[in-house]
Amino acid sequence: MVSIYIVLYCIVHMYHEDTSATFFAHIICTYLYHIHIHITLILTENANWLKPKQSKMKLMSSDEEEEDVDEFGGGAANDESSDDDDDDEMLEVERQSRLLDAEMKLEAQEASAELQRTIAQQTSIYHLPTIEEIADDENRVVPPSELRARIEDILEVLADFKNRREEGRSRSEYIERLGQDMAELFGYLQELVDYFLDMFGPNECLEFLEASDKSRPLVVRVNTLKARRKDLAAALMKRGVRLDPLAPWSKVGLKIYESTVPIGATPEYLAGHYMLQSAASMCPVMALAPQPGDRVMDMSAAPGGKTSYISQLMRNKGVVIANDLKPERQKATVANLHRLGVRNVVTCCYDGRKLGAQMRNSFDRILLDAPCSGLGVISRDPSVKVQRTMPDVLRCGHLQKELLVGAIDALNHKSKKGGGYMVYSTCSVAVAENEEVINYLLSKRDVKLVDTGLDFGKLYLCMSSLLVVGPTLNSWPRLFI
């Protein structure tokens, strides 16, 4: 107020020549001076009223003393209440930040403990069970979790055998124990697991056994002689079937996930619009690539899935000879061919080993999906685990060699239609039924291997110690679908 008064007084002196301005400034200064005096009197009269009362001052001082006591010597209850007050006064962002910090601290502690545990496991020496401990296991039921843990421990030892092995124990002892645990865990005959270990190795053997226990989705092949895949898919979905196209490499396959009706009893199935057929069984026919007008033979045709697919690709033109040794099996072949509308197939029941002499140089293309042990389709038939033995595998391998030689003799290598091709396939992973059979054929007939033309699946070059082949076959990998 005094400052305003001084400024106005200065203005008066600056404009003293102007009478009207001087008069007006004098009036304002006088007015402000009176206001200043009035405010000063009010503040002086009410000075006591503006001060806090003595009782309120005492109350404020007692609260401050209690706070000091709580700060320096208060109990847990007061601390909790203060913490609660802090939490209530805390912003939501701050509360979330504190929770996040606590979670990060807990995760860091768990990670540290896991690191220490991993270091201890990777540097510890695994104790292989002794003869006495093995005898004790035979008298009790070992839980699957214990078997799986022991398998994983042995695999870790084999991965770093020099540092993890027990003193005085050989690698063969660990492999033997591993095979016994795998056979017990997955329910195989011991000789089959030993064969898989020799063929694949420890880690791949475990992967194979686990994969063989997984179920495969149901697959159907659309019969393009009667229907289109789009129309069939729409019809099945209306019946409550959940499905998808099989894969980019197949234009006729449908993969069934779930169905409210039996897939093998729908009106579309009875009308021959599709055939129940696995994805892997389509591949040999695709590799054969039959052309309309060819003369083709399916040496082991029953129950007709591959034969009908051959006719489908040939558009019912040409001739297909569907042969199978057992007449009772051919009944299913004939029924499926009639249902699917196939008209260019002739069925017969001959010994495939003698067809080479009876029909020499007669066919442009031949498919031999040979009888086998079924070691590659255990997920479809788990009984193979306990019903197949190594003598069965060797017996199948011998039969396959005879059939393969007969098929080569029946093949016309001078076909004017660009033929002279034969596809050999099995449902087994055994070396004795695959690489050894092909190696035998290469040594008995003047043939050469060609690419299948299939650009999908996983290639696997079998480097097993069981495989002793020439340089020609050693560079050809397997194809797993």
Side-chain angles (χ1 to χ4, degrees):
M1 184 70 67
V2 175
S3 301
I4 296 174
Y5 182 80
I6 293 173
V7 170
L8 290 175
Y9 183 78
C10 293
I11 292 174
V12 170
H13 281 278
M14 288 174 61
Y15 297 96
H16 62 279
E17 295 179 357
D18 191 348
T19 308
S20 61
T22 303
F23 178 76
F24 181 71
H26 274 290
I27 292 173
I28 292 174
C29 290
T30 304
Y31 180 73
L32 291 176
Y33 178 73
H34 284 289
I35 290 174
H36 174 67
I37 294 173
H38 183 67
I39 291 173
T40 302
L41 291 174
I42 291 174
L43 292 176
T44 303
E45 293 176 357
N46 295 279
N48 296 328
W49 176 80
L50 291 175
K51 292 181 180 180
K53 296 181 179 180
Q54 295 295 329
S55 59
K56 188 173 183 180
M57 291 181 64
K58 291 180 180 179
L59 180 60
M60 293 175 60
S61 61
S62 62
D63 291 341
E64 291 178 357
E65 291 176 357
E66 290 178 359
E67 289 179 359
D68 293 339
V69 171
D70 292 339
E71 181 178 358
F72 296 104
N78 293 332
D79 292 339
E80 292 178 358
S81 61
S82 61
D83 291 340
D84 294 338
D85 294 340
D86 292 341
D87 291 340
D88 294 339
E89 295 176 359
M90 193 183 304
L91 296 176
E92 182 64 24
V93 176
E94 295 176 328
R95 187 179 296 105
Q96 295 295 333
S97 178
R98 287 195 178 184
L99 291 175
L100 184 59
D101 291 341
E103 291 178 1
M104 292 179 63
K105 185 178 180 180
L106 181 60
E107 289 178 0
Q109 294 175 353
E110 292 177 351
S112 178
E114 180 67 21
L115 178 61
Q116 298 297 328
R117 186 164 53 253
T118 302
I119 293 174
Q121 290 177 353
Q122 293 181 353
T123 57
S124 62
I125 296 176
Y126 175 71
H127 171 67
L128 195 66
T130 61
I131 299 176
E132 294 77 10
E133 293 174 344
I134 294 174
D136 293 338
D137 286 345
E138 293 178 354
N139 297 327
R140 69 182 181 95
V141 178
V142 182
S145 58
E146 183 178 339
L147 289 173
R148 183 168 290 277
R150 197 155 61 191
I151 289 172
E152 293 176 355
D153 290 338
I154 294 177
L155 290 176
E156 291 178 358
V157 172
L158 294 175
D160 188 15
F161 189 71
K162 182 178 179 181
N163 299 322
R164 299 289 304 278
R165 74 182 184 93
E166 191 176 0
E167 190 67 27
R169 296 283 192 165
S170 62
R171 188 180 185 88
S172 60
E173 293 181 274
Y174 283 90
I175 295 293
E176 181 181 0
R177 181 72 257 173
L178 178 64
Q180 293 173 0
D181 290 341
M182 285 182 173
E184 186 174 354
L185 178 62
F186 293 100
Y188 282 80
L189 292 178
Q190 184 63 52
E191 56 183 324
L192 289 181
V193 174
D194 293 339
Y195 184 77
F196 293 147
L197 282 171
D198 291 336
M199 184 170 59
F200 292 120
N203 290 287
E204 291 180 346
C205 179
L206 178 61
E207 293 178 6
F208 172 75
L209 296 179
E210 290 176 341
S212 296
D213 277 352
K214 295 179 181 178
S215 60
R216 304 292 187 270
L218 179 64
V219 176
V220 300
R221 172 179 56 83
V222 181
N223 179 23
T224 55
L225 297 175
K226 288 190 172 183
R228 295 187 302 175
R229 185 167 71 169
K230 179 176 66 174
D231 298 336
L232 177 62
L236 291 178
M237 284 191 289
K238 289 180 180 179
R239 300 187 185 279
V241 179
R242 191 165 64 90
L243 51 81
D244 272 330
L246 174 59
W249 52 265
S250 175
K251 297 180 180 179
V252 295
L254 288 174
K255 184 163 49 177
I256 309 296
Y257 297 109
E258 187 179 2
S259 175
T260 58
V261 295
I263 297 299
T266 62
E268 289 78 13
Y269 176 82
L270 299 176
H273 291 181
Y274 63 89
M275 178 76 176
L276 298 175
Q277 188 172 4
S278 65
S281 65
M282 300 181 194
C283 298
V285 180
M286 296 175 63
L288 185 65
Q291 303 300 318
D294 282 351
R295 187 178 175 88
V296 183
M297 179 172 67
D298 187 355
M299 285 192 69
S300 184
K306 297 181 181 65
T307 303
S308 59
Y309 193 16
I310 291 173
S311 297
Q312 178 177 320
L313 294 178
M314 295 172 63
R315 302 172 188 171
N316 263 338
K317 299 177 180 180
V319 178
V320 180
I321 304 299
N323 179 71
D324 200 275
L325 179 62
K326 298 180 179 180
E328 59 272 15
R329 287 171 55 85
Q330 287 290 60
K331 295 180 181 179
T333 304
V334 173
N336 282 322
L337 295 179
H338 282 296
R339 181 176 60 84
L340 296 170
V342 176
R343 301 189 303 271
N344 66 335
V345 174
V346 178
T347 60
C348 58
C349 299
Y350 290 107
D351 188 347
R353 296 172 291 184
K354 300 177 181 179
L355 283 178
Q358 296 172 351
M359 302 180 181
R360 185 175 294 273
N361 301 329
S362 300
F363 299 97
D364 302 314
R365 300 172 193 269
I366 293 179
L367 172 63
L368 175 56
D369 186 43
C372 62
S373 62
L375 294 180
V377 289
I378 298 175
S379 60
R380 189 172 63 193
D381 185 11
S383 64
V384 174
K385 296 180 179 181
V386 294
Q387 291 183 356
R388 292 291 184 270
T389 61
M390 288 311 301
D392 294 332
V393 174
L394 298 177
R395 194 180 304 112
C396 288
H398 181 73
L399 174 61
Q400 290 157 0
K401 293 174 183 178
E402 293 180 318
L403 290 173
L404 194 55
V405 171
I408 289 295
D409 292 340
L411 192 64
N412 183 13
H413 64 283
K414 295 182 180 179
S415 173
K416 297 180 180 179
K417 299 179 181 179
Y421 292 98
M422 193 199 73
V423 172
Y424 171 75
S425 62
T426 67
C427 295
S428 174
V429 297
V431 172
E433 299 180 81
N434 293 287
E435 285 85 357
E436 287 187 7
V437 175
I438 300 300
N439 190 48
Y440 174 82
L441 178 65
L442 292 174
S443 64
K444 293 296 182 180
R445 294 293 186 269
D446 185 15
V447 296
K448 67 177 181 179
L449 303 178
V450 295
D451 190 71
T452 61
L454 305 178
D455 56 353
F456 53 88
K458 294 183 179 180
L459 299 178
Y460 174 76
L461 185 59
C462 185
M463 302 298 292
S464 170
S465 59
L466 303 172
L467 181 60
V468 181
V469 298
T472 304
L473 183 60
N474 203 28
S475 61
W476 286 92
R478 295 183 175 197
L479 178 64
F480 287 93
I481 308 300

